[in-house]
Amino acid sequence: SSRLFEAANNVSALPSWAMVIPMPSVAAGPPTAFTMSMSRYIVGLVAVQVFCLVMKLMMLDFMGSLYCGILVGCGYYAVANDMNFQALMMYGMLGLINGIFDLVRVLDVLFKSPVWIFDPSMGVMYNLGSLALILAPITGFIGAFIVYKVYQDQNAAGSSGGAYSNLSAASQPVSYGAAQSAPKSNFQTFSGEGQKLGDA
């Protein structure tokens, strides 16, 4: 069954720059209703990616399993922490990168493997591995698209002062310029006539 992945060993490793991509700047604030509504789809994608992870492990694709495991971990952490946006951004970016390389692997297997990608004569495990091979890039691209739509919604909510607005008015810095007048005080330092020592 491991022959399914042998034709694509030359593209199994991600480049070093794939793990050091800077995260886009995001506005602070709670997740919007649209972001929370996307959590169910992220859960579904992560569930399918867990299946892909298990199949890659069974096919002895250790590098693919590693990156798929990181992807699953980011998705799980994002959903478990009320759609944590930093984890969601990492999930989307890794999904896009993994999806590109997984797509290359699918095309490589289709054109170079002597066995068709789905073959009933090869047994259940072979065909399940083929299914995982195809589902991996699909789920990665769908996850990246969902994260992109969430990112757009965040920016729109931040610019309109909604749930993703940067900071509340209470946390804004106070201006101490000349336009701000100091509060008046009713305290009077001296009053009455002066007295000399011994006059009393």
Side-chain angles (χ1 to χ4, degrees):
S1 300
S2 60
R3 287 184 299 171
L4 183 64
F5 293 94
E6 291 177 358
N9 285 336
N10 57 331
V11 293
S12 61
L14 289 177
S16 57
W17 52 263
M19 303 304 294
V20 292
I21 297 179
M23 292 292 99
S25 59
V26 295
T32 61
F34 175 78
T35 300
M36 295 306 298
S37 68
M38 291 294 104
S39 63
R40 70 188 73 175
Y41 301 107
I42 299 296
V43 169
L45 290 174
V46 169
V48 177
Q49 288 162 349
V50 168
F51 165 74
C52 296
L53 172 61
V54 172
M55 294 308 304
K56 287 183 178 183
L57 285 172
M58 296 184 68
M59 297 295 177
L60 304 181
D61 181 17
F62 297 114
M63 291 302 297
S65 302
L66 173 63
Y67 295 119
C68 188
I70 296 174
L71 181 66
V72 168
C74 290
Y76 173 80
Y77 183 86
V79 174
N81 291 272
D82 295 329
M83 299 296 282
N84 179 275
F85 206 82
Q86 293 296 331
L88 205 58
M89 285 287 101
M90 181 66 73
Y91 176 78
M93 288 189 169
L94 288 179
L96 178 62
I97 296 172
N98 285 349
I100 292 173
F101 281 87
D102 286 334
L103 179 61
V104 172
R105 300 183 67 182
V106 171
L107 296 176
D108 207 21
V109 169
L110 283 175
F111 289 104
K112 293 184 179 180
S113 178
V115 183
W116 184 242
I117 192 167
F118 287 107
D119 190 348
S121 64
M122 295 297 296
V124 177
M125 292 303 301
Y126 175 86
N127 289 279
L128 287 177
S130 299
L131 180 61
L133 189 68
I134 294 177
L135 287 177
I138 294 176
T139 55
F141 291 143
I142 294 177
F145 177 75
I146 291 176
V147 171
Y148 174 70
K149 299 302 290 184
V150 169
Y151 178 74
Q152 283 186 321
D153 182 70
Q154 173 188 350
N155 285 340
S159 62
S160 62
Y164 275 121
S165 58
N166 287 330
L167 293 172
S168 62
S171 60
Q172 294 291 335
V174 180
S175 174
Y176 291 98
Q180 185 178 15
S181 60
K184 295 182 179 180
S185 175
N186 294 326
F187 176 75
Q188 296 180 356
T189 54
F190 298 100
S191 62
E193 298 180 354
Q195 299 289 335
K196 292 183 178 181
L197 185 63
D199 289 348

